[in-house]
Amino acid sequence: MASESSFDIVSKVDRQEADNALNQAAKEINSRYDFRGTDASIAWSGEKVLMKASSDDRVAAILDVFQSKLVKRGISLKSLDLGDPYPSGKEYRQEATIKEGIDKENAKKISKIIRDEGPKGVKAQIQGDELRVSSKKRDDLQEVIALLKGKDLDVDLQFTNYR
C-alpha cells in the first residue's frame, strides 16, 4: 500500500542574489582606497561577469571581493566557473560564469554514488539537468541526502520537491 516517495537533486542559483552580490562588490570596489584611480570594475556582460583592472593582481582582488559577497548571500563558490585573467589593451580582464544545472558527467557520478553507497531500493533517474531520486521508504531518502551532503562534489546541490 506504500506509495513511492521522491525528491529532486538540482543545482540552481538565485539570479537576484547573484545580482545583489555583484552590485555590492561593485559598490565596495568603487569606494575602497586601494582601488582608487585604477579603473577597476565588475559588471554583467551578457550571462557572464566581467572583471576589469589595470593589473592581474587587481583582477584577483576584485574576484576576492566578489566571492566574499557571493558567500555572504548564500551562493556556493562551486557554482562560479572562472576563466583565466587575460590582458586586453592596457588592462587585464577575467570572466566568470555562474553555472546552473547538473551536467551529464556529474549526474552520472551522483547516480553511481547513490547506487553504490546508498540504501538498497533507491532509484536515481537523470532528467535533463536534474536528478529524481525515489524509494518506498522516506528514511532511505533522508539517508541519500545525508550521504550526498557528506561528499565533496564539483557542483552545488539543492534538494527540492521532497514528497
Side-chain angles (χ1 to χ4, degrees):
M1 246 353 224
S3 64
E4 290 239 320
S5 297
S6 68
F7 68 89
D8 294 335
I9 302 173
V10 297
S11 180
K12 290 196 173 19
V13 173
D14 184 354
R15 272 310 227 209
Q16 186 63 48
E17 288 297 325
D19 194 39
N20 290 343
L22 186 122
N23 290 336
Q24 283 182 338
K27 192 180 280 188
E28 182 173 324
I29 288 162
N30 286 334
S31 65
R32 263 180 43 177
Y33 68 93
D34 56 336
F35 287 115
R36 291 251 161 84
T38 59
D39 291 333
S41 68
I42 181 170
W44 289 108
S45 172
E47 286 295 305
K48 297 182 181 214
V49 175
L50 181 62
M51 295 163 272
K52 297 189 258 185
S54 57
S55 70
D56 58 344
D57 295 346
R58 293 265 182 252
V59 171
I62 293 171
L63 177 62
D64 187 46
V65 169
F66 183 50
Q67 287 177 332
S68 71
K69 299 301 179 191
L70 285 173
V71 168
K72 282 182 183 171
R73 294 219 159 253
I75 298 173
S76 172
L77 296 181
K78 289 180 182 178
S79 58
L80 194 64
D81 190 19
L82 296 172
D84 292 326
Y86 60 92
S88 173
K90 292 182 178 177
E91 63 187 12
Y92 279 82
R93 296 178 177 203
Q94 184 171 13
E95 292 181 341
T97 320
I98 295 181
K99 295 186 289 189
E100 288 196 291
I102 303 171
D103 60 344
K104 285 275 186 228
E105 186 181 311
N106 282 317
K108 287 179 182 175
K109 194 186 302 181
I110 293 167
S111 183
K112 182 171 173 32
I113 289 170
I114 292 170
R115 226 182 12 259
D116 294 348
E117 301 175 33
K120 299 288 178 229
V122 175
K123 296 185 288 282
Q125 302 163 320
I126 300 172
Q127 298 179 333
D129 61 352
E130 58 184 49
L131 268 86
R132 162 91 25 106
V133 180
S134 56
S135 173
K136 293 207 181 297
K137 297 184 199 157
R138 285 184 160 222
D139 290 346
D140 289 349
L141 294 179
Q142 298 266 332
E143 206 173 308
V144 168
I145 291 174
L147 171 74
L148 292 175
K149 281 185 178 178
K151 294 288 178 187
D152 185 29
L153 299 165
D154 297 338
V155 289
D156 179 34
L157 300 178
Q158 291 93 32
F159 307 99
T160 59
N161 288 342
Y162 188 82
R163 45 178 160 235

